[in-house]
Amino acid sequence: MIAGIIVPGSGYGPQAPLLNLAGEALTDLDAAKEIITWTVPKGLLDIGPEPFVRAHVAAALHRLTNAAPDMQPVIIAKSLGTYAAGLAAERQLPAIWLTPLLNDNAVAEAITLNPAPALLVGGTHDRTWVPDAAGRTGKKVLTIEGANHALRPHGPLSAYTDALATVGMEMEKFLSQLV
């Protein structure tokens, strides 16, 4: 069995569509969940967010492994939360990286070095999505054409709901392969 750790972005909490879908996919698999919430300190990006994210994810892993010691943890992180990639690599944890900050070489390298499976999801109109870096990770990659950092493509709302459906189905498929 798996147990999910849902890690928010800077202004994208666990109730937002992508992370909500991840939570629903975990629920459908009867997986335990640890949902991180945080208030991002002003200026965090200026001083380096990795220790902040690492501390929150490490604490969540500790709580989760105490509550469900026989379950395989999987990290599901959005944007700022992808600074957990180093911790995931150290512990060889599978992960779903939603709009990973691939423009930061440390994040891209950590994802690449992690031997565990991962799913990377990004949009072609997101400046933090670097398709070449995503491809070099050797992980499963889903690119949403025309999508911004929230994975919303330009155009009618139906384009967004279609993108959410595509991402949700890929997350569900990825997680079910870990069970």
Side-chain angles (χ1 to χ4, degrees), residues 45-140:
L45 296 178
D46 298 330
I47 63 168
E50 196 272 342
F52 173 84
V53 173
R54 176 182 284 266
H56 280 82
V57 175
L61 273 167
H62 178 74
R63 289 189 301 271
L64 192 61
T65 54
N66 281 341
D70 297 333
M71 295 198 181
Q72 165 65 58
V74 58
I75 295 174
I76 304 170
K78 170 79 171 86
S79 188
L80 177 66
T82 66
Y83 279 104
L87 178 62
E90 290 166 13
R91 299 193 187 189
Q92 300 183 8
L93 299 174
I96 297 174
W97 304 115
L98 301 166
T99 65
L101 303 178
L102 297 177
N103 60 334
D104 184 322
N105 290 335
V107 172
E109 183 177 327
I111 292 170
T112 302
L113 293 175
N114 188 347
L119 169 63
L120 285 72
V121 183
T124 59
H125 287 165
D126 178 0
R127 64 177 178 76
T128 68
W129 180 250
V130 182
D132 290 344
R136 284 192 302 270
T137 67
K139 310 299 183 189
K140 171 78 174 154

Side-chain angles (χ1 to χ4, degrees), residues 4 10 13 15 29-30 36 41 48 51-52 68 79 86 88 90 92 96 101 119 150-151 154 163 169 175-176:
S10 177
Q15 76 289 350
L29 293 169
D30 294 322
I36 296 173
F52 173 84
S79 188
E90 290 166 13
Q92 300 183 8
I96 297 174
L101 303 178
L119 169 63
L151 288 179
H154 180 73
M169 288 186 293
L175 292 170
S176 67

Side-chain angles (χ1 to χ4, degrees), residues 31-49:
K33 289 184 280 194
E34 184 68 32
I35 299 172
I36 296 173
T37 58
W38 57 34
T39 300
V40 177
K42 187 173 183 172
L44 180 69
L45 296 178
D46 298 330
I47 63 168

